[in-house]
Amino acid sequence: MDATAQAASVQRLSFVRQPDSWLVRLFDYKPFLVAICMLPTAGLLLVFLTYPLGLGIWLAFTDATIGNPGEFVGLDNFISLWDDPVFWLSVFNTFVYTFVTTIIKFALGLWLALLLNHHIPFKAFIRAIVLLPFIVPTVLSAIAWWWIFSPQFSIVSYVLVDRLGWLDHYINFLGTPWAARWSLIVANVWRGIPFIAITLLAGLQTIPPSLYEAALLDGASGWQRFRRITVPLLMPILSVVLTLSVLFTFTDFQLVYAITRGGPFNSTHLMATLAFQRAIPGSQLGEGAAIAVAMIPFLVAATLVTYFGLGRRKWQQGEAND
Amino acid sequence: MANVTITNVRKAFGSTEVLHGVSVGIEDGEFVILVGPSGCGKSTLLRMIAGLENISSGDIAIGGRVVNNVPPKERDIAMVFQNYALYPHMTVRDNMAFSLVMAKAPQAVIDEHVRRAAQILGLSDLLHRYPRQLSGGQRQRVAMGRAIVRDPQVFLFDEPLSNLDAKLRVQMRAEIKELHQRLNTTIMYVTHDQIEAMTMADKIVVMNSGNVEQIGEPLELYDRPANLFVAGFIGSPAMNFLRGQLRDGAFVTNDGVALPLPPTGHGAGNGTDGAPAVYGIRPEHFQLRPDGLPVTVHVVEPTGSETQVIANIGETQILCAFRERVMARPGETIHVAPDTALVHLFDADSGRRYDS
Ligand SMILES: Nc1ncnc2c1ncn2[C@@H]1O[C@H](COP(=O)(O)OP(=O)(O)OP(=O)(O)O)[C@@H](O)[C@H]1O
Ligand SMILES: [Mg+2]
């Protein structure tokens, strides 16, 4: 043993543990730690989430207009909405919009993700392209779609009529209720696919290839491997993506407001656009807030169903150890 | 049931070739064990037989039919993966039943097969569990069970017992052997365990960095290893090698110690006088004899059934294993004699055995 090592061992022997100071003990005290760590987040949530939400809910029970704080009127706003056909149309639209686009987005997004999960040439490039609609600001892409749906300058009409000659008149995409609804659905699908494709691709990449090899040797066909390996293993992430997608679509505002502003004749209003329309341009703050508040139960229900219905599986539960 | 013929198979991943022309013939119903150091290409070869890797060149035939372009599903092969590859979202029962379900077997048949496999493997109480709720050894047994519920042409086992404790391993070894005797299916089995290789195999294939070094029955490899690699790889503890020269019908090590040769001569043929050679002798083939070579003891390790002694002959360190207890202390000199009938001589340059 050399001199330093000897010195170290002597020191270790003579070392007596000092009692901790009160500060050290305070920070070792779990309830205190929990409280102090939660404080910043809780404060931010309170100021930036709870306050606006609370204010919105309060407004829904007042007759506030722009410039007038208004008085508490109880359920008056909701009662008048109950008899308002435009409101019910917006509810109907929101459901159709959410339901149809979610189905299409998931079908196409999953298909894209499966394609991108294979070895294909220019993979990185194709992934970048797929992500594009997600990167472009929504208002910008809404304007592009508005242009595509234009009655006079639509490129679709131009190709179909002037180039291919399949139609003899320009299509009035946004002129009639159902054409406008389908046009919005197309735009929303285009805008929503990247998010779904990329997140599902991430999910697919967590599935070990050896499971597919084992299934291959077990005699499973391509479809059986998809049904019995891919789908169940993708379910946890699928449910989260589905929840998020439903929430985003249900509360969508930008695309619809930029392309149709709810027209023609209020036929494409979603609850979000109608709320805004009534509250700001229509200056009926209380009524607009009531429409927005009416979305909350639907959103909570949708979240509960998708999240708990498809969420964590028994095989995932417990501690991971591999 | 089928024979498997591997002819001059090569495998390259990109520009790196990992198998350099492997040829192995496996008879119908034979139990073949593949051994070799880590990374030598054992798993790759199994995966090629299963159809999970394509074949860069050469042919693989199963039951006389070249399967190079036959998809895995149609090769009728069951494989136990080195990393188990259990389906995490299925219970033990469903994992084992999966291949039968895919084959649309009747429910009663599935239940019966799963029950029997679970019984053989000691998994009967775990059938409702998910893989994540199992220990490493239990998972390995499920992987094994997934293979044995089937009745395939060929079983491929990639180190199926490596995670089991010693007792369970002995038990499973017997079960696999019994399974083989009952089904008489062709088995290819990778292991790092010498005992498994020696006790279970009809035939052992020794591989080294993408080449086959020797193919033969277990005792054949032990008694007459074809080259230095096989000599050093088969047998535990490993064979002692002493480098030196053959001179006037005798072997002299590089530091001048003369070692006795086999009574039949060294079989080296003509023109090897003075040629560099390697003298191989297994630890268990030394005897304590007063007229033996003097060796200096370094370490004495009693294992109970035998005593292992690490000692020096001249400069070279050797390991001897004696049946009797040795009371020597480090630094002392003992006298040991190699059993000359069991001496192996190799050409130092090519590594090949002289008398083969
Ligand atoms: N997909 C791959 N790409 C590139 N190299 C690979 C690939 N798979 C295996 N190899 C290489 O091939 C060689 C053989 O690998 P293999 O898995 O067959 O070894 P092994 O004999 O099974 O080893 P072990 O006993 O450790 O399981 C290794 O050098 C490995 O690095
Ligand atoms: Mg391996």
Side-chain angles (χ1 to χ4, degrees), chain A residues 215-234:
Chain A
L216 209 59
L217 293 183
D218 277 343
S221 64
W223 168 249
Q224 284 168 323
R225 270 174 278 144
F226 176 74
R227 256 277 292 118
R228 305 214 171 226
I229 311 283
T230 310
V231 171
L233 291 178
L234 208 54

Side-chain angles (χ1 to χ4, degrees), chain B residues 143 227 235 245 261:
Chain B
N227 52 45
Q245 279 141 28
L261 285 180

Side-chain angles (χ1 to χ4, degrees), chain A residues 161-183:
Chain A
V161 176
D162 296 339
R163 289 284 132 185
L164 298 173
W166 290 0
L167 288 181
D168 55 4
H169 61 93
Y170 270 36
I171 306 166
N172 193 0
F173 287 101
L174 305 178
T176 60
W178 276 106
R181 281 179 197 134
W182 282 108
S183 300

Side-chain angles (χ1 to χ4, degrees), chain B residues 204-220:
Chain B
I204 296 181
V205 178
V206 184
M207 287 182 64
N208 182 25
S209 53
N211 291 302
V212 172
E213 295 281 348
Q214 191 175 358
I215 302 177
E217 288 169 22
L219 290 180
E220 192 181 324

Side-chain angles (χ1 to χ4, degrees), chain B residues 38-44 82 158-159 190 192:
Chain B
S38 188
C40 71
K42 306 178 296 289
S43 298
T44 306
Q82 194 166 0
D158 201 345
E159 305 191 27
V190 174
H192 283 287

